[in-house]
Amino acid sequence: MELEKFADDIGPEKIIEIYSPKVGLNAVVVLDNLKRGPAKGGIRMTPTVNVEEVFRLARTMTFKTAFFELPFGGGKSGIIFDPKKYPIGKKQEMMMEFGRQLRYIAPKMYIAAPDVNTGEEEMRWFVQGNGSLRSCTGKPKELGGLPHELGSTGFGVAHAALVAVNHLGMDANKTTVAIEGFGNVGSFAAKFLSQFGMKIVAVSDSRGCIYNKEGLNPEELLKVKQVTGSVVNHKTGEVLPNRQIFELPADVLIPAALPDVINRDNVDKVKAKVVVEGANIPMVPETEDILHKRGVLVVPDFVANGGGVISSYDEYRKNGEDSMFRLVERKIKKNTKLVLTRAGKENCKPRDMAMKIAMERLE
Ligand code: NAD
């Protein structure tokens, strides 16, 4: 494989492929940049993950950790495996073996975390194999962890949205919100935004979208989702196809599920004044350009969804939940304000300004 094609002045520092035939482990780790500290990044477990995907995700982590001034570099790993096809014991065996195989780099050069198909339990197994509690973050509470399940990312997304709303001089108490996806990021974003006084008028999940211009109750939606599997079973609004969420009349739109959901086909139908990217790459930069030219304020993904990695840093410092929420709030507010103010002054897109700031901090 032509690994050289990934190389530039930033990284990657190392690409490590791991085969452990005994348990059938096939994985890749990319340590993109270690200038600021050990590479930080989650473990993705899917049947399709490959070096290129892992490299791209590692590069995003390099920018994200630098942008938030954390003492970490950027990294990521991928285990090529479909956990849904096997009993849970096989996943446990994979995670333990992966932790063991990474003893020589984790936690010295790499600190893992949850990502697609890995959560706090998987982090427990990784630590069991690795032997060091500092080899990953997002661990269960009883291991001194701050699991992603506490909602740090959604909390940060809500704060980024509040900063953007204030930046435009809008009144939070008169602001309406639509959220695509009601998983970890979307459900916590909804909870905190409603605490800030905003009205959640629409949410969606894989089965559809529910809309009520008078407002929906996020806590009730969550209960219904947990019991029945979908927010659409909450009978308090109109049920629509899930893709319609992007076109509904709401002041703030928060994509918090899939990539590339706002695209050439629907960008002209977006009615929101603010889009806060809770998900990673919910649209390509060219689509952001179109919205920017129309005067829509777009808070880019690596700014808005940085709460997870900020929480990881506080876990690494052995701090608890209260400290973590304070740190996420402080860093997200300060840096979102900085990006929006500087982008306004220099008349550029928030993403371009955030990249400029990340590069300054990386250097
Ligand atoms: P999750 O698996 O907890 O939730 C995903 C949600 O998306 C689910 O509610 C699912 O029903 C919904 N969904 C699936 N298909 C959909 C569709 N067609 N339309 C509407 N909703 C649909 O995932 P998550 O952890 O909340 O992550 C969401 C996004 O945020 C991803 O892009 C992820 O990379 C990004 N992100 C997550 C974190 C984190 O800490 N969890 C941190 C940074 C970025």
Side-chain angles (χ1 to χ4, degrees):
M1 189 176 303
E2 298 167 54
L3 296 178
E4 294 77 20
K5 72 179 175 191
F6 301 129
D8 60 18
D9 292 345
I10 299 171
E13 192 81 31
K14 267 186 206 302
I15 299 180
I16 305 162
E17 292 191 284
I18 291 167
Y19 300 97
S20 181
K22 215 171 42 175
V23 294
L25 175 72
N26 184 359
V28 59
V29 184
V30 176
L31 307 181
D32 182 45
N33 186 293
L34 301 168
K35 262 193 203 166
R36 298 182 63 93
K40 190 83 192 75
I43 305 170
R44 178 162 294 197
M45 183 184 267
T46 65
T48 51
V49 67
N50 58 32
V51 184
E52 184 151 358
E53 182 179 343
V54 176
F55 164 69
R56 289 207 168 118
L57 294 161
R59 178 55 55 88
T60 306
M61 289 305 296
T62 298
F63 289 130
K64 208 184 250 192
T65 52
F67 178 77
F68 285 106
E69 300 176 284
L70 302 175
F72 293 132
K76 200 84 184 182
S77 45
I79 299 178
I80 305 153
F81 180 65
D82 186 353
K84 293 185 189 88
K85 289 199 177 149
Y86 294 85
I88 189 77
K90 186 71 196 164
K91 190 182 196 186
Q92 177 174 3
E93 194 186 7
M94 287 269 172
M95 289 304 299
M96 286 178 68
E97 176 66 6
F98 192 50
R100 200 180 69 78
Q101 291 279 348
L102 294 197
R103 275 182 191 171
Y104 74 105
I105 58 162
K108 206 168 148 214
M109 279 187 273
Y110 174 59
I111 300 165
D115 193 73
V116 177
N117 284 330
T118 62
E120 55 180 300
E121 273 314 300
E122 287 72 16
M123 296 306 109
R124 181 201 303 281
W125 298 328
F126 184 84
V127 164
Q128 279 169 0
N130 179 274
S132 169
L133 279 170
R134 286 171 86 73
S135 61
C136 70
T137 58
K139 297 182 291 288
K141 279 188 191 174
E142 71 273 15
L143 294 183
L146 293 169
H148 283 195
E149 289 77 354
L150 288 171
S152 53
T153 303
F155 176 72
V157 169
H159 274 289
L162 185 61
V163 169
V165 162
N166 289 336
H167 180 80
L168 292 183
M170 291 156 62
D171 178 354
N173 290 304
K174 292 185 185 141
T175 299
T176 54
V177 186
I179 304 177
E180 175 235 9
F182 210 65
N184 184 277
V185 178
S187 65
F188 280 102
K191 173 181 158 183
F192 291 110
L193 284 167
S194 86
Q195 284 177 11
F196 299 161
M198 297 191 207
K199 195 193 281 180
I200 314 300
V201 291
V203 302
S204 68
D205 62 23
S206 57
R207 304 217 201 138
C209 160
I210 180 157
Y211 171 59
N212 183 340
K213 65 178 174 19
E214 302 308 325
L216 299 159
N217 180 329
E219 303 213 344
E220 307 249 306
L221 284 170
L222 190 60
K223 276 188 214 149
V224 170
K225 174 135 177 103
Q226 280 162 350
V227 175
T228 69
S230 175
V231 290
V232 298
N233 297 321
H234 195 267
K235 307 280 178 216
T236 51
E238 197 182 340
V239 174
L240 303 165
N242 48 20
R243 64 179 181 283
Q244 225 165 305
I245 190 128
F246 307 105
E247 304 167 20
L248 291 172
D251 302 310
V252 178
L253 174 61
I254 304 188
L258 306 177
D260 205 27
V261 284
I262 303 175
N263 48 46
R264 269 192 305 186
D265 298 336
N266 64 3
V267 64
D268 294 333
K269 296 178 191 148
V270 170
K271 297 186 182 66
K273 302 180 186 85
V274 177
V275 179
V276 182
E277 297 181 347
N280 286 316
I281 42 169
M283 63 181 116
V284 295
E286 294 72 31
T287 309
E288 285 182 1
D289 288 343
I290 298 172
L291 289 173
H292 179 67
K293 284 187 188 126
R294 254 177 48 203
V296 179
L297 189 62
V298 182
V299 184
D301 46 10
F302 75 91
V303 175
N305 69 26
V309 74
I310 299 169
S311 163
S312 294
Y313 169 55
D314 227 29
E315 176 176 338
Y316 188 70
R317 293 198 301 176
K318 301 199 170 94
N319 284 331
E321 207 174 314
D322 293 343
S323 151
M324 176 275 279
F325 278 114
R326 282 196 301 274
L327 187 69
V328 170
E329 178 174 345
R330 201 173 72 234
K331 280 198 176 279
I332 293 278
K333 272 182 170 168
K334 177 185 142 193
N335 290 295
T336 309
K337 269 185 205 159
L338 179 71
V339 166
L340 299 186
T341 317
R342 276 184 62 180
K345 275 190 197 140
E346 296 183 30
N347 198 21
C348 68
K349 264 195 321 173
R351 174 174 296 277
D352 297 340
M353 182 48 66
M355 283 297 296
K356 194 170 160 184
I357 294 170
M359 284 305 289
E360 286 164 11
R361 291 175 175 175
L362 194 59
E363 277 151 22

